[in-house]
Amino acid sequence: MSLAKRRGFVFQSSEIYGGLNGCWDYGPLGVELLRNIKEQWWQTMTFREDVEGVDAAILMHPTVWKASGHVENFTDPMVDCKECKARFRADQIEDAMCGSPAYKGRKAHKCQAEGKFTEARQFNLMFKTFVGPVEDSGSVVFLRPETAQGIFVNFLNVQSSSRQKIPFGIAQIGKAFRNEINTKNFLFRTREFEQMEMQFFVKPGTDVEWFGYWKEQRMNWFRGLGMQADRLQFHQHEPDKLAHYAKDAYDIEYSFPFGWGEIEGIHNRAAWDLSRHEEFSGKSLKFFDEQTKEKYTPFVIETSAGASRSFMAFLVDAYVEEEAPTADGKMELRTVMKFHPKLAPTKAAIFPLVNRDGMPEIARNIEADLRSQMRVFYDDSGAVGRRYRRQDEVGTPFCITVDSQTLQDQSVTVRERDSMRQERIVSGRLLAYLKERL
Ligand code: GAP
């Protein structure tokens, strides 16, 4: 967290006012990392011929949330501590700390054991607001708690406009809001976050096979972007723990420093969503198969990843502290973010070895050539070793140094972040060299 703040990945929201609980801002490097994660996901999903994208509104007709079951079911049990007035999720009390001066620093369940908690009440996690100037019950709308419903209500619009046939999917990336009772663990449980969801519509009876397919695809996506395999696992929901809409569900979990935590859910939602929207809207959402002349309500296989949670997992996964040799042969500790090159916020840094003999001019020319193709950084301050360390800390995969040999043969050194190996490359070949490796 300290590196994330110091190097501009993540800041507390409204920090100068003391912050707002459960909300975070992405800084200059954080926004690049987040965009790269979302871009990789978007490409993986929508470069396929059987998946289309949408970007639906955050505010939706309030009946959507009755149909989806959120008004009725999207609740957590809440208890109040009678001493300190703090609120806790009754089912997560073991992890919570009491705020009462008498119990400060003690786990909240100690209070409960002494009868200091109110009875549990159900608390709906949706944020309410109003459309238009009159704040009455007729104008209530909700900030969406998931992006999925924007996809379900557009199922037929997308299917008919893109002329897709079952099976096909709809993908969306966007903000979601949940008034979590307790936010915790940095970006893990926040009140405002981003989701990357894809709903795949299939013929009933083929759902089990597609569920298995998407489960594997999604696990491979995290691994393919460099996430360490032994820090990833599936967790199947037990039948009595399934969400109201799910027939089967697996989480992809990442081993965070605080333990295993879900980063994505893969759900077999069967016909729940489309049938409910048919019921509540009175409109048919059935698919007619021209070939077999069958008409049916498709089943849905959902892949629902948190962009913000994935961001945190990629950040944690990349963070390494290791021994590295200095220029004079001693060993020192270096912090390095070993991001996959596709995710790294900055792709290359360019350094003149010294600020004279025409080296800065050559380095600036190289920077200008590369800048139109990728995010690069120019740095001419301090010893080269220190410049390397600064780039290691933000995960820049390549550092290019212009030195005295460059003046003779136009070659530069390219140093790779993880191996720290250096190669001499003729500057005219640099772009092709980097593109191949990025
Ligand atoms: N449409 C299904 C759905 O929303 P979910 O398991 O509630 O399922 C999916 O959420 C993903 O969204 C989670 O795996 C997680 O990555 C992310 N997510 C959910 N609540 C979150 C929160 N409060 N803060 C950050 N990410 C959250």
Side-chain angles (χ1 to χ4, degrees), residues 70 74 145-149 152 176-178 180 183 187-197 199 237 245 251-252 262-265 267 269 302-310:
H70 282 81
F74 200 53
E146 60 170 12
T147 54
Q149 300 304 324
F152 297 129
F177 305 83
R178 297 184 187 179
E180 301 281 358
T183 57
L187 304 172
F188 186 80
R189 179 163 290 113
T190 55
R191 297 200 166 106
E192 175 176 342
F193 56 95
E194 234 172 335
Q195 290 188 315
M196 309 184 287
E197 292 199 297
Q199 275 68 32
H237 290 211
Y245 51 75
D251 293 339
I252 296 181
E262 171 194 342
I263 49 176
E264 171 156 353
H267 311 123
R269 298 178 73 121
E302 166 181 78
T303 70
S304 176
S308 334
R309 263 197 210 168
S310 302

Side-chain angles (χ1 to χ4, degrees), residues 345-398:
T346 307
K347 307 300 183 193
I350 301 114
F351 312 148
L353 183 64
V354 290
N355 280 317
R356 55 181 152 77
D357 302 335
M359 290 184 210
E361 289 75 13
I362 299 173
R364 281 288 187 195
N365 282 338
I366 292 174
E367 179 209 351
D369 277 353
L370 297 180
R371 194 175 279 287
S372 61
Q373 307 282 325
M374 62 188 78
R375 278 195 90 252
V376 294
F377 184 78
Y378 183 88
D379 189 3
D380 61 3
S381 66
V384 168
R386 289 183 63 83
R387 289 184 244 171
Y388 283 152
R389 292 288 175 270
R390 288 201 288 260
Q391 292 308 311
D392 288 345
E393 223 183 28
V394 295
T396 307
F398 297 102

